[in-house]
C-alpha cells in the first residue's frame, strides 16, 4: 500500500473537490508550509466535516450583501465577466464571492453544487446561492425577506427581485470555507465598502469618510444624500439626466472636476465639495440640502427652501436618513 505524504493527500483532496464541485478558495489548500491546523481545516471542508453555522474570522452574509450591492445596475451580458461591460448571472455570483476571497466555479450548474445544500427557502440565510430550474440555468444571491440580487436576462441589469419561484437548489458556501482560506475581512472588502466613523454596514463608507475629512463635511450627511439620491447605486441615472451614486448633473459634475460621475470615488468627492460650498454659503443643513437639490440660486430667490414639491420632499427625506445614521 502506497503511503501519501501531506502534499499527496492535499492533492487528492483538491481532485475530489473539483469532482464534487466544492472548489474552496485557492489559498485553503496549498502544500508548501501547510500547518497541521490548516491541513485539518482543508480536510474537513473536502469531506463535509466540521461544518457549523459559520466560520470565525471569515466572511458572513452581511459581507456578501455589501459586496453584491455595488454591482447593482451592471448590464446583463450573456457570457460576460467584466463588471465594467456587463456580466451574466453566474459571473455575478462568482465575482461577488471572489471579492471576499472565495473562489467559486464559473457556471451556474457548478455553483449549484458548491458548498452544502440548504433544505428550503425557509432555512435560507443572506448570502446563500439560489439556483433555478433543472438542469440549472440561473443563479442569484439570497438577500433575506424573500428577495434576491441577480443578473436576470439580456436587456436587463443587476437588480434586487422577489424570489419569484421555488429554487431547485439552495447552497451555503460561507460555512464551508476554511478559516485559513480567508484573511482579515477589512482588507478583503472593496475599498468603497470599508466601514468606520459610525457607518458600519453602509456601502462606500470609506469614500464618505475620506471625502468628508477632505472637505469638512459630515460623512453621515454624505451617506444620507447618497441613500436618497441613488439608493447607493453607482450606475443610477435619473429622468432628468443626473448620474451616479450622488446624482450629479453632467454640467455640475464638470464644474466640480468630476470627469466620470459613475465612478463612486469621483462622485462622492464632487458631492462633498458641493455640499461644503452650500454649507458655508447658507450655514444651514436644510438649506444646503435644498441647494444641492434645486440649486443655490433657487434658495436665494425664495430666501429658504424653494416651493418645489420635489425639493420640499427631498430635504426631510435626507434629514430622516441622516437621523437613522445617528447624524
Amino acid at each position: 500500500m502506497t503511503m501519501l505524504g501531506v502534499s499527496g493527500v492535499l492533492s487528492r483532496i483538491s481532485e475530489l473537490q473539483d469532482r464534487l464541485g466544492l472548489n474552496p478558495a485557492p489559498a485553503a489548500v496549498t502544500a508548501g508550509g501547510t500547518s497541521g491546523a490548516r491541513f485539518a481545516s482543508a480536510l474537513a471542508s473536502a469531506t463535509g466535516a466540521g461544518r457549523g453555522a459559520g466560520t470565525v474570522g471569515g466572511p458572513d452574509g452581511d459581507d456578501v450583501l455589501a459586496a453584491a450591492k455595488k454591482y447593482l445596475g451592471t448590464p446583463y451580458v450573456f457570457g460576460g465577466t467584466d463588471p465594467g461591460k456587463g456580466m451574466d448571472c453566474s459571473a455575478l455570483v462568482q465575482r461577488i464571492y471572489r471579492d471576499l476571497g472565495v473562489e467559486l466555479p464559473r457556471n451556474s450548474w457548478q455553483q449549484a453544487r458548491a458548498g452544502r445544500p440548504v433544505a428550503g427557502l425557509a432555512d435560507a440565510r443572506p448570502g446563500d446561492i439560489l439556483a433555478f430550474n433543472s438542469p440549472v440555468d440561473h443563479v442569484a444571491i439570497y438577500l433575506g425577506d424573500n428577495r434576491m440580487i441577480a443578473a436576470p436576462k439580456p436587456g436587463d441589469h443587476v437588480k434586487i427581485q422577489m424570489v419569484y419561484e421555488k429554487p431547485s437548489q439552495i447552497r451555503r458556501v460561507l460555512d464551508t470555507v476554511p478559516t485559513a482560506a480567508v484573511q482579515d475581512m477589512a482588507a478583503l472588502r472593496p475599498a468603497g465598502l470599508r466601514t468606520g466613523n459610525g457607518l458600519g454596514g453602509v456601502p462606500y463608507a470609506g469614500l464618505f469618510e475620506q471625502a468628508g475629512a477632505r472637505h469638512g463635511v459630515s460623512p453621515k450627511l454624505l451617506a444620507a444624500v447618497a441613500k436618497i439620491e441613488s439608493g447607493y447605486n453607482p450606475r443610477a441615472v435619473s429622468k432628468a439626466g443626473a448620474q451616479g451614486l450622488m446624482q450629479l448633473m453632467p454640467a455640475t459634475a464638470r464644474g466640480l472636476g468630476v470627469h466620470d460621475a459613475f465612478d463612486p470615488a469621483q462622485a462622492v468627492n464632487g458631492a462633498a465639495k458641493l455640499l461644503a460650498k452650500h454649507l458655508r454659503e447658507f450655514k444651514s443643513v436644510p438649506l444646503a440640502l435644498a441647494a444641492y437639490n434645486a440649486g443655490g440660486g433657487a434658495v436665494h430667490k425664495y430666501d429658504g427652501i424653494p416651493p418645489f414639491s420635489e425639493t420640499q420632499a427631498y430635504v426631510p427625506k435626507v434629514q430622516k436618513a441622516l437621523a437613522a445614521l445617528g447624524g
Side-chain angles (χ1 to χ4, degrees):
M1 179 178 177
T2 302
M3 298 297 292
L4 297 175
V6 169
S7 179
V9 173
L10 286 172
S11 177
R12 178 60 175 161
I13 289 171
S14 180
E15 178 184 342
L16 289 172
Q17 287 172 321
D18 285 339
R19 290 184 181 181
L20 294 173
L22 297 176
N23 293 291
V29 283
T30 55
T34 303
S35 68
R38 188 174 183 181
F39 171 75
S41 182
L43 181 61
S45 176
T47 61
R51 292 175 179 174
T55 304
V56 177
D60 59 20
D62 288 341
D63 295 312
V64 177
L65 302 194
K69 287 179 179 178
K70 72 188 180 78
Y71 294 112
L72 286 169
T74 301
Y76 178 100
V77 173
F78 179 75
T81 59
D82 183 351
K85 298 178 180 179
M87 298 185 288
D88 60 21
C89 63
S90 55
L92 172 68
V93 171
Q94 184 184 51
R95 172 69 63 161
I96 290 166
Y97 273 94
R98 182 176 288 166
D99 285 350
L100 299 173
V102 180
E103 195 64 32
L104 291 179
R106 169 67 179 90
N107 296 321
S108 56
W109 64 268
Q110 293 173 315
Q111 293 172 2
R113 295 164 55 192
R116 67 176 179 86
V118 175
L121 203 58
D123 300 308
R125 297 177 189 165
D128 287 349
I129 298 173
L130 306 183
F132 297 90
N133 304 318
S134 182
V136 172
D137 60 9
H138 185 55
V139 285
I141 297 289
Y142 189 57
L143 299 180
D145 297 326
N146 204 45
R147 297 179 305 148
M148 63 184 183
I149 185 168
K153 60 184 184 297
D156 213 329
H157 56 271
V158 177
K159 62 185 180 183
I160 294 173
Q161 301 176 289
M162 299 301 292
V163 181
Y164 49 78
E165 65 180 72
K166 181 180 179 181
S168 56
Q169 292 281 341
I170 303 176
R171 308 296 294 193
R172 182 160 300 151
V173 174
L174 295 183
D175 60 6
T176 67
V177 179
T179 303
V182 184
Q183 302 169 16
D184 179 12
M185 285 307 303
L188 287 174
R189 291 188 186 98
L193 296 172
R194 295 177 192 167
T195 59
N197 197 40
L199 290 177
V202 174
Y204 305 101
L207 297 182
F208 298 136
E209 291 159 11
Q210 294 164 17
R214 184 179 299 118
H215 296 286
V217 178
S218 164
K220 292 179 180 178
L221 179 60
L222 291 170
V225 169
K227 178 177 176 60
I228 300 306
E229 289 285 356
S230 70
Y232 301 122
N233 179 3
R235 307 297 301 176
V237 179
S238 76
K239 293 180 181 179
Q243 300 174 340
L245 184 68
M246 308 306 290
Q247 290 291 277
L248 300 173
M249 294 296 290
T252 303
R254 287 193 296 271
L256 294 168
V258 176
H259 302 293
D260 182 3
F262 295 113
D263 177 356
Q266 291 188 48
V268 173
N269 188 68
K273 185 176 181 180
L274 182 59
L275 277 169
K277 172 181 177 295
H278 290 324
L279 286 166
R280 288 193 300 270
E281 185 174 357
F282 298 107
K283 297 178 176 57
S284 159
V285 169
L287 293 182
L289 292 173
Y292 189 94
N293 178 260
V299 175
H300 281 298
K301 177 180 178 180
Y302 292 100
D303 195 23
I305 298 175
F308 310 144
S309 58
E310 179 185 326
T311 308
Q312 291 279 331
Y314 175 81
V315 173
K317 281 182 183 178
V318 178
Q319 288 181 299
K320 183 177 179 180
L322 178 60
L325 292 170

